[in-house]
Amino acid sequence: MALKKFIIGIAAVTAIMSVLAIIFQSSTNPKAWWPATVFVYTISPLLIVSGAELKPATDVLKEYLSFKNIDWKNTILLIIGTAILYPLIKLAAVYLAGNAAGINIFGKITGTGTYEVFDLFSINTAANGGAFLLFLLNITFSLVAGTITGILGNIGSEIGWRGFLPRHLPENKRTKPLAVAIIWTVWGIPFCIGAANGFSSCLVFKFITNTAMSYFLIEVIRKTGSVWVSAATIGIMQVSMFFPMHIAGSTFGQILLSALATVCLWALSSRLLPDRHAAC
């Protein structure tokens, strides 16, 4: 019953937000209200979980954000491992697919270049240790900024996607993440309305990304027992951005690269770390 209420709630809020997104496209001054609307939408899964479980939002937060059962060792390994391996896997894939195989949609590694870091200073990747310094900067920035923005921006929705749904969906361990990805993608429909690359392409890209992320993030919950960690992990992957030697290919190629790196992280974490949260 709680699952049915949650699905109905998600569908209703998504429909309302889609109408607002259509209105936003034709508005001459959307900046005054659209950001606040998006913020409410991002925390809507928390409010829908509250209604589905017939609990006050404060009780839902206490239950799903408890630190009682968190596995700190796995948490540290996953957070630091994601910050290091996610960009490394993507760069390796670019080199193998773009440089070695010549598939242009994935881009190429150029080897040298000068990277402007927030217009504060420059790093010459051709200089001794320049590329390594930039890689360390990427890790540090994604760990700090990614963790903070990931938690602040995703904790409300992650309570729904990685907290509530894995507990209530009847699917088995291998199909459950796919079911979550489908619901998660439907929830993202409003953000594809008016997308530069077209509604259909945006939705397909979201589904590919969400499927890979869903398998990995549910594994994160299974290994750590904490929604905090899944929210932080999303932020780390989103903020991991310093690729001075990478000439970007097509949007589709970038989506595939991100999905590939995420699937690799899922495979590694599922094999190397012990389970701590069997409910997923």
Side-chain angles (χ1 to χ4, degrees), residues 87-99 106-107 109 257 260-261:
L88 197 59
I89 293 170
K90 288 182 70 173
L91 285 173
V94 169
Y95 181 81
L96 292 174
N99 292 64
F106 295 111
I109 302 295
L257 285 172
L260 172 64

Side-chain angles (χ1 to χ4, degrees), residues 46 48 107 242 280:
L46 162 63
I48 295 170
F242 298 129
C280 290

Side-chain angles (χ1 to χ4, degrees), residues 124-133:
N124 182 5
T125 60
N128 292 334
F132 182 68
L133 175 61

